[in-house]
Amino acid sequence: VVEYSEISTEMAEATREALSGSGTRLLYGAAHICVNWFSLPFLRAFAAGALGEEGSASLPLHVARKKVPCLDPDKGGGSVPLQPSEPNAIKLELFIFDTFPHAAKLVALQVPREHEFAPVKNAPGAASDSPDTACAAFSRLCVDRLVAAGGTVKAPRPCVAANSGNGSRPRPLLEISPLVSYAGEGLEERVAGREFELPQHLC
């Protein structure tokens, strides 16, 4: 695993022939979504410094350049708040994936991004990685599962991000409770041959 801010342009743009034989695809086209399972013995051994040559295993520091609000030293005797437009600070970070090389056994699962990854890092109304976009992504997944089970919705693929802060109204969403179906299993008896009007909560 390579931190995205540390990957070289050559690595980021490297391609290979697609297995299907139709064109090329990125050589490093997979992303780590930070969903990990570890054994407790491994984590305890790593934390205790019992891994690596003579217990030398440790997590390296990664540099992240951030825009951090501060006080302007040139105004008001250093008392005027400043919102920098460019990165002005360095944050040192540790990443859990740096433990991987020290594991005796490592297995990676490749999953569809749209089914497994909807990060929430920004405030409601943001164009990406917000509660609104995560809800919309989950709703699209539920629509796919409903249609696969034989159901229909009045407006195909109706789910987009909710209020974007510009006065737009939220689009209707679909949620299938995990108490009804965790991953689409057993939906046929509930939805096959039926049309659903959104918003809808199957519970």
Side-chain angles (χ1 to χ4, degrees):
V1 179
V2 180
E3 165 63 4
Y4 72 92
S5 62
E6 298 173 353
I7 192 171
S8 67
T9 301
E10 291 74 18
M11 288 183 67
E13 297 178 352
T15 60
R16 63 175 174 82
E17 289 294 326
L19 295 178
S20 62
S22 56
T24 60
R25 60 182 301 174
L26 290 174
L27 180 60
Y28 304 103
H32 178 233
I33 62 174
C34 255
V35 176
N36 304 299
W37 292 349
F38 293 95
S39 72
L40 285 176
F42 171 75
L43 292 180
R44 289 181 180 131
F46 191 92
L51 299 180
E53 294 183 7
E54 299 181 354
S56 62
S58 63
L59 296 179
L61 293 172
H62 296 264
V63 173
R65 290 171 172 80
K66 303 287 186 179
K67 291 185 290 186
V68 177
C70 59
L71 297 177
D72 191 335
D74 299 323
K75 295 181 180 179
S79 62
V80 178
L82 174 66
Q83 293 289 340
S85 58
E86 300 292 336
N88 65 326
I90 290 177
K91 177 183 177 183
L92 298 179
E93 299 178 327
L94 300 174
F95 295 134
I96 192 68
F97 57 70
D98 284 321
T99 63
F100 293 175
H102 302 286
K105 181 179 179 181
L106 178 68
V107 177
L109 300 179
Q110 189 168 358
V111 297
R113 177 188 177 96
E114 62 274 15
H115 289 180
E116 303 290 342
F117 188 59
V120 176
K121 299 188 291 184
N122 300 320
S128 64
D129 297 346
S130 73
D132 308 316
T133 58
C135 286
F138 182 64
S139 183
R140 287 192 296 270
L141 177 60
C142 290
V143 168
D144 288 344
R145 289 173 175 171
L146 184 146
V147 171
T152 58
V153 294
K154 283 193 173 181
R157 312 295 295 184
C159 313
V160 297
N163 194 330
S164 61
N166 59 6
S168 61
R169 302 191 57 165
R171 294 293 183 91
L173 304 178
L174 169 67
E175 179 179 353
I176 300 174
S177 168
L179 298 178
V180 173
S181 175
Y182 180 73
E185 72 287 347
L187 280 179
E188 289 81 359
E189 60 187 33
R190 289 282 301 269
V191 307
R194 296 179 57 192
E195 183 180 65
F196 294 84
E197 183 177 357
L198 304 184
Q200 185 76 232
H201 182 208
L202 296 184
C203 58

